[in-house]
Amino acid sequence: MIAVDDYAFLSDLLKRHSGLALGPGKDYLLESRLPSVAAVHGQADVPGLVTLLRRSPSRDLVKQVCDAMTTNETMFFRDGKPFVSLEKELLPAAANRARSQGRPVRIWCAASSTGQEPYTIAMIVAQMEAQLAGTKVEILATDFSTAALGRAKAGIYNQFEVQRGLPVQLLVKYFRPHADGFELLPDIRNRVTYQEINLLEPYPSFWHFDIIFCRNVLIYFDVATKKDVIDRMARLLAPGGGLFLGGTESTLGITDSVVRVPGNAGGLFCKPADLEHHTTKAA
């Protein structure tokens, strides 16, 4: 059993460094996910790990604790509708704008976990090359978890993972057998650039994106943190750009820097100034 003071200490540490708002009654999560971190650092249990954190909270140790508490639930073509919207509406429109400006389309997958989301986008882009008429599409995928990024870069998925949402024709087309399951072909892997990013920290000043995916991660943040992340992402959106949030996520009562696009079933948001454009497209 984790002492009340230790629970409060870990909750505060997780919120400050990863944004995770643990809330009360989540002892079981700490007790199931942190013993392995404790063991690596020579501690017998979670209280021992807390003692070490209080005494010597190195950046690496804090990062390992936050990584262990990260939920890396994802799948190919998760929820479906955002990717239909991407293919049919957002990507063609973004390609037209980018082509007229002589630049690539830029897509950011925030909280990309083990890579299924950015690779889903890469497969869609690969199948749209004729329609995109030579317009380059740059896909940046970021995550807080070092371990998740390592798996994503490898592009190797087991039988269970490829059966979750991936159409069999795309499995045959873009994967090859591997000892651990299936490996993505280099053509798809090389379309995605991975980078370790903490969403709570400042984003590079040169970042600008046509499309941002930040789905099913803000649910773990408190309201103030959600507002901060969404507002800063909104500032990165190019004119006409769109932000995909999770299907159940809303910005009501949080921020007005983005608004939900009516008629779009994929959880699409945009800056208020771009609403008319997106509404017309959705109709």
Side-chain angles (χ1 to χ4, degrees):
M1 188 70 178
I2 299 176
V4 173
D5 287 350
D6 287 352
Y7 189 89
F9 173 83
L10 288 170
S11 296
D12 178 67
L13 181 144
L14 290 166
K15 184 178 184 303
R16 285 188 291 110
H17 292 279
S18 72
L20 175 61
L22 197 59
K26 298 296 178 66
D27 303 63
Y28 68 95
L29 285 177
L30 298 172
E31 291 168 346
S32 64
R33 298 185 183 185
L34 294 185
S36 60
V37 180
V40 167
H41 291 273
Q43 303 301 312
D45 50 26
V46 175
L49 178 62
V50 172
T51 299
L52 181 61
L53 282 164
R54 291 182 189 274
R55 185 175 68 244
S56 179
S58 70
R59 181 179 178 86
D60 286 347
L61 177 56
V62 171
K63 180 68 164 58
Q64 289 172 37
V65 168
C66 292
D67 272 6
M69 293 302 298
T70 300
T71 300
N72 291 313
E73 171 63 22
T74 187
M75 59 186 289
F76 291 101
F77 290 90
R78 184 177 183 180
D79 302 328
K81 293 175 182 177
F83 302 105
V84 173
S85 180
L86 175 72
E87 179 181 357
K88 303 300 183 184
E89 301 169 17
L90 266 73
L91 194 49
N96 287 336
R97 290 193 302 270
R99 193 179 306 115
S100 68
Q101 297 166 13
R103 62 170 181 83
V105 173
R106 300 184 181 95
I107 301 175
W108 177 22
C109 289
S112 59
S113 188
T114 49
Q116 285 92 323
E117 180 176 84
Y119 287 139
T120 294
I121 296 169
M123 286 185 275
I124 290 172
V125 171
Q127 295 183 98
M128 292 180 64
E129 285 188 333
Q131 184 179 350
L132 295 175
T135 303
K136 184 179 179 181
V137 178
E138 297 177 349
I139 306 169
L140 173 67
T142 69
D143 202 89
F144 180 76
S145 171
T146 304
L149 287 173
R151 280 213 59 209
K153 291 175 184 177
I156 298 170
Y157 300 94
N158 60 36
Q159 183 74 42
F160 175 73
E161 289 168 327
V162 298
Q163 286 178 332
R164 297 187 71 202
L166 182 67
V168 65
Q169 64 269 28
L170 297 186
L171 175 63
V172 172
K173 186 174 184 178
Y174 294 124
F175 290 76
R176 60 191 174 198
H178 186 274
D180 295 319
F182 299 88
E183 180 182 20
L184 264 167
L185 297 178
D187 175 59
I188 300 300
R189 290 206 314 275
N190 294 340
R191 292 172 185 266
V192 181
T193 299
Y194 287 96
Q195 187 173 344
E196 189 172 311
I197 288 288
N198 186 337
L199 293 180
L200 273 60
E201 297 176 354
Y203 309 142
S205 59
F206 58 86
W207 274 12
H208 291 92
F209 298 99
D210 298 283
I211 303 162
I212 299 176
F213 283 75
C214 185
R215 302 193 302 146
N216 306 303
V217 62
L218 298 180
I219 55 176
Y220 300 107
F221 298 166
D222 63 17
V223 171
T225 305
K226 288 178 183 179
K227 174 177 171 53
D228 174 62
V229 171
I230 293 172
D231 288 351
R232 288 188 291 123
M233 285 186 171
R235 291 195 288 270
L236 303 181
L237 282 175
L243 166 66
F244 284 103
L245 299 180
T248 62
E249 293 177 310
S250 173
T251 61
L252 291 175
I254 298 174
T255 181
D256 58 4
S257 61
V258 294
V259 292
R260 185 181 290 274
V261 174
N264 185 288
L268 179 64
F269 291 74
C270 70
K271 290 189 284 190
D274 293 325
L275 185 59
E276 182 177 349
H277 168 79
H278 283 288
T279 303
T280 301
K281 286 288 185 181

